[in-house]
Amino acid sequence: MQTPRLPDWAIYATVVAALVIAAVSRRETSDAPEAPPPIPGQEGGVIGAASVFDPAIVIRTPVSGAVGGTAFSVSKSGVWLTARHAVDGCKKVALMVKADHGVVADVHNGPGDVAVLTTLGGAPGIPLALSGPLHVGERGFHPGYPQGQAGEVSSRLIGRQTLVLRWQKRLRGAHAEQVVAWAETGRTDKLAGDLAGLSGAPVLDGNGYVVGMTLAEAPRRARLYTATPETLAKALRRLHLEPRAGDAAAPVPFTTDNYGRMSDGLRRDLQIAPVRCVG
């Protein structure tokens, strides 16, 4: 009995398949491993120092005086911090202690978009933590006066960026500085729209210490940009206004459950106040 003979095409197909399998099995595999999942509810790595390789974003600052801004006390002797663009061009600046009553403040321009305000006495300062490291993923809380009304925002730290501020009033051209970027994670109930007026608000960590100052937002990206701890420390050091022991109140821990209530307390004690152009 004669064994059936395979057709030539089947033999050629088998040989080609064997050669392909052998070639593939000998090929080097160097694919990158799958990216790790996001860090759930815990701090990540320490953010690095400022670098020319930090990503950049352009923000147009609001016209000063249109909405005003937020200032916060760092010393009971009458030292406050706010965003420079919130008071730029004002002939006279006031910290509003009541709806119709303000305290006139002297303005001292610091580095970047930072301004230091001084008054004759003030509320106990919010304690500062401007020398410790910041971690990717850590929570931040921004209590102040968005849209001219009491409100607050919570966020998660992303990393350093270069912020290019395009001034809309007295200062001409653009100004670039290193900032810290945060992703918005929550805000005051029924607070919708942009956060104009939050410029100058402190950024508090979970322990209630100031680790930055809110400068600008990118609404479409749900991002907040804040002055670095180094910039704030430099502004105070330049004017010899660094807080002394006893100038600040005890820190109040902030969480996602209590940050609205804790923010109300800081505003009630006038440790955070709206700042306005009054002339």
Side-chain angles (χ1 to χ4, degrees):
M1 183 176 179
Q2 188 176 5
T3 303
R5 183 174 180 273
L6 292 174
D8 292 344
W9 65 265
I11 296 174
Y12 294 146
T14 302
V15 172
V16 170
L19 291 174
V20 170
I21 292 172
V24 170
S25 64
R26 295 172 64 86
R27 186 178 64 184
E28 180 182 355
T29 301
S30 56
D31 294 337
E34 184 179 357
I39 301 171
Q42 65 181 28
E43 295 179 358
V46 177
I47 65 171
S51 166
V52 295
F53 298 107
D54 291 336
I57 183 171
V58 178
I59 295 290
R60 192 171 296 277
T61 65
V63 177
S64 61
V67 178
T70 300
F72 63 96
S73 173
V74 297
S75 171
K76 65 182 181 180
S77 63
V79 182
W80 311 72
L81 289 173
T82 192
R84 182 178 178 182
H85 72 259
V87 296
D88 177 64
C90 299
K91 294 181 180 179
K92 189 177 294 185
V93 171
L95 293 162
M96 306 306 294
V97 295
K98 294 182 180 178
D100 58 350
H101 182 69
V103 175
V104 174
D106 293 325
V107 180
H108 312 270
N109 290 330
D113 191 25
V114 176
V116 181
L117 308 180
T118 54
T119 57
L120 295 175
I126 303 175
L128 306 176
L130 304 180
S131 59
L134 296 176
H135 298 81
V136 174
E138 74 171 272
R139 294 192 183 275
F141 303 94
H142 312 247
Y145 289 87
Q147 301 175 17
Q149 304 296 321
E152 51 278 325
V153 174
S154 66
S155 64
R156 273 316 216 357
L157 192 150
I158 299 173
R160 291 185 184 270
Q161 284 195 336
T162 299
L163 181 66
V164 181
L165 290 167
R166 293 198 178 278
W167 308 98
Q168 286 190 4
K169 202 169 184 182
R170 184 178 176 185
L171 294 178
R172 296 183 179 275
H175 163 77
E177 69 175 284
Q178 299 295 323
V179 297
V180 179
W182 305 73
E184 181 181 331
T185 58
R187 56 170 62 189
T188 304
D189 188 31
K190 298 181 181 180
L191 174 60
D194 64 54
L195 299 171
L198 197 64
S199 296
V203 186
L204 304 176
D205 64 12
N207 295 317
Y209 287 88
V210 174
V211 294
M213 184 180 70
T214 309
L215 297 179
E217 66 161 334
R220 293 183 180 180
R221 300 184 182 189
R223 298 288 188 266
L224 295 167
Y225 302 98
T226 68
T228 66
E230 300 91 343
T231 300
L232 298 185
K234 184 177 180 180
L236 295 170
R237 189 166 55 246
R238 178 183 293 180
L239 296 170
H240 306 289
L241 294 173
E242 296 173 282
R244 299 166 297 181
D247 280 350
V252 180
F254 273 62
T255 68
T256 53
D257 294 325
N258 74 4
Y259 76 97
R261 187 171 66 255
M262 296 299 101
S263 297
D264 288 338
L266 293 176
R267 285 186 289 259
R268 184 181 58 248
D269 294 340
L270 298 179
Q271 293 174 272
I272 297 176
V275 61
R276 299 283 185 271
C277 289
V278 293

